[in-house]
Amino acid sequence: MNFLFSLDRKYILLVIIIFFLLCFIFIFYKFFFSIEKKLILDKAISKVDITDPRFSINNFDRKILITAKEGDFINKDKILLKKNVLFKSNKFSIESDNVIFNRKDQTAESYENSIFRSNNTKISSEGFNIYDSGNKIKFHGNSIIILKLRFF
């Protein structure tokens, strides 16, 4: 006689129902937690006004590109740039953590530790102020200037 015919149908039906119930619970669990993770990520991102902001300061002889990880609007013209703020032009770069950028006046200032890098110069300071449409940079607080001398 066949082995399947000897089994009780109630037990087979019970095993099949338990199997489908476990599959349903597993799929529901995966779906529910994937939605929950997405909601957590959306809440984390929504606390920031701008993610990966990019701006530029334009003047007649150079362009300074500004990038950061996060940005928050202070008012209509001023934006607080946070996390890995980088000012980059053909001649120099400045790195800082928190910078206030004024879009209207094309200025920027920071009171956090900043590093200015150029071809033969490195300046570490407690902040900076870029004004006159990027033509002038003033460094705040204690500053360390390192000049590399180049001999012919």
Side-chain angles (χ1 to χ4, degrees), residues 11-33:
Y11 293 123
I12 294 174
L13 186 62
L14 182 66
V15 169
I16 291 172
I17 289 174
I18 290 173
F19 175 76
F20 280 114
L21 188 63
L22 288 174
C23 290
F24 177 76
I25 290 172
F26 176 75
I27 292 170
F28 178 77
Y29 178 79
K30 286 290 191 178
F31 178 75
F32 177 76
F33 281 106

Side-chain angles (χ1 to χ4, degrees), residues 40-58:
I40 290 170
L41 289 175
D42 288 342
K43 286 180 184 178
I45 292 172
S46 66
K47 292 179 182 178
V48 178
D49 292 335
I50 308 170
T51 55
D52 295 328
R54 299 182 190 283
F55 300 101
S56 66
I57 298 175
N58 300 315

Side-chain angles (χ1 to χ4, degrees), residues 57-81:
I57 298 175
N58 300 315
N59 60 22
F60 53 87
D61 64 339
R62 83 171 67 89
K63 186 177 198 177
I64 302 171
L65 300 174
I66 306 165
T67 58
K69 294 283 183 190
E70 299 176 355
D72 288 319
F73 288 103
I74 296 173
N75 60 28
K76 187 175 108 177
D77 295 323
K78 290 185 178 181
I79 300 171
L80 175 62
L81 302 173

Side-chain angles (χ1 to χ4, degrees), residues 107-118:
T107 61
E109 65 180 332
S110 175
Y111 294 98
E112 299 280 332
N113 291 338
S114 306
I115 299 174
F116 171 90
R117 288 189 175 99
S118 186

Side-chain angles (χ1 to χ4, degrees), residues 62-141:
R62 83 171 67 89
K63 186 177 198 177
I64 302 171
L65 300 174
I66 306 165
T67 58
K69 294 283 183 190
E70 299 176 355
D72 288 319
F73 288 103
I74 296 173
N75 60 28
K76 187 175 108 177
D77 295 323
K78 290 185 178 181
I79 300 171
L80 175 62
L81 302 173
K82 298 186 283 189
K83 295 184 181 176
N84 299 332
V85 182
L86 177 66
F87 290 77
K88 189 163 183 132
S89 76
N90 293 337
K91 297 184 179 184
F92 69 89
S93 70
I94 300 176
E95 299 173 18
S96 185
D97 281 332
N98 292 323
V99 177
I100 297 173
F101 175 64
N102 190 324
R103 294 187 303 173
K104 182 181 176 186
D105 298 336
Q106 298 281 298
T107 61
E109 65 180 332
S110 175
Y111 294 98
E112 299 280 332
N113 291 338
S114 306
I115 299 174
F116 171 90
R117 288 189 175 99
S118 186
N119 288 339
N120 298 323
T121 307
K122 180 179 176 183
I123 302 173
S124 297
S125 69
E126 294 177 351
F128 64 90
N129 184 10
I130 298 177
Y131 58 101
D132 192 22
S133 296
N135 288 324
K136 298 179 182 176
I137 303 173
K138 184 189 303 183
F139 294 96
H140 300 298

